[in-house]
Amino acid sequence: MRDESLIHFHHGRRISAGLHLPRNGAAAPELIAEAAPWLDPRDPGRCVVGFCAAHPDMVGDVTDAPPRGWENWGFNEWDQWFGRINGVFLVDLEKLRVVQYPLYSCGGQTVPCDLSALPRRLVPVEDWLEGQKTP
């Protein structure tokens, strides 16, 4: 049996590409929480990069963002979009919560996930190093 999941980050109507975890999909909430220091609370796209930096061996593929209207999707639409074992995890960057649309369910459910380590913004390493130099 496959243990897969798909993670999308969103801020309002802006949504990221999906991160496909081909194995250990049930651990998605823990992996998201562990990646929190690399996530940007205002930029879904940077969150994809941050998650990949935190867990380079876990991401099997990056998929397209869902089409317009995704914010009104229920379980059936998410199931058609991905629908594999552990389903889709939506990380709401405004509300700092994670909702899962799991396989064999009738709707989304909020899952525990500690996002308290989210930074104010991510900066490239070069910019950070530049800011650390003293004259």
Side-chain angles (χ1 to χ4, degrees), residues 1-7 20-32 34 51 55 57-60 84-87 89 100:
M1 181 148 60
R2 297 186 309 196
D3 182 18
E4 299 180 64
S5 64
L6 186 69
I7 300 170
H20 177 218
L21 306 184
R23 64 185 187 289
N24 209 12
E30 292 84 10
L31 295 170
I32 294 166
E34 290 171 13
F51 188 94
H55 304 293
D57 298 334
M58 296 302 300
V59 178
R84 295 182 208 165
I85 306 303
N86 292 296
F89 291 84
Q100 179 187 19

Side-chain angles (χ1 to χ4, degrees), residues 9 18 31 35-36 47 50 65 73 77 81 89 93 99-100 105 107 114-115 130 133:
F9 298 91
L31 295 170
C47 288
W73 282 6
E77 290 84 5
W81 180 250
F89 291 84
L93 298 169
V99 175
Q100 179 187 19
S105 178
D114 181 7
L115 297 176
E130 192 65 33
K133 292 181 182 176

Side-chain angles (χ1 to χ4, degrees), residues 12-62:
R13 291 181 176 202
R14 293 178 20 230
I15 191 163
S16 73
L19 295 168
H20 177 218
L21 306 184
R23 64 185 187 289
N24 209 12
E30 292 84 10
L31 295 170
I32 294 166
E34 290 171 13
W38 290 270
L39 305 180
D40 186 326
R42 290 180 290 267
D43 191 337
R46 297 271 315 241
C47 288
V48 169
V49 174
F51 188 94
C52 290
H55 304 293
D57 298 334
M58 296 302 300
V59 178
D61 197 8
V62 177

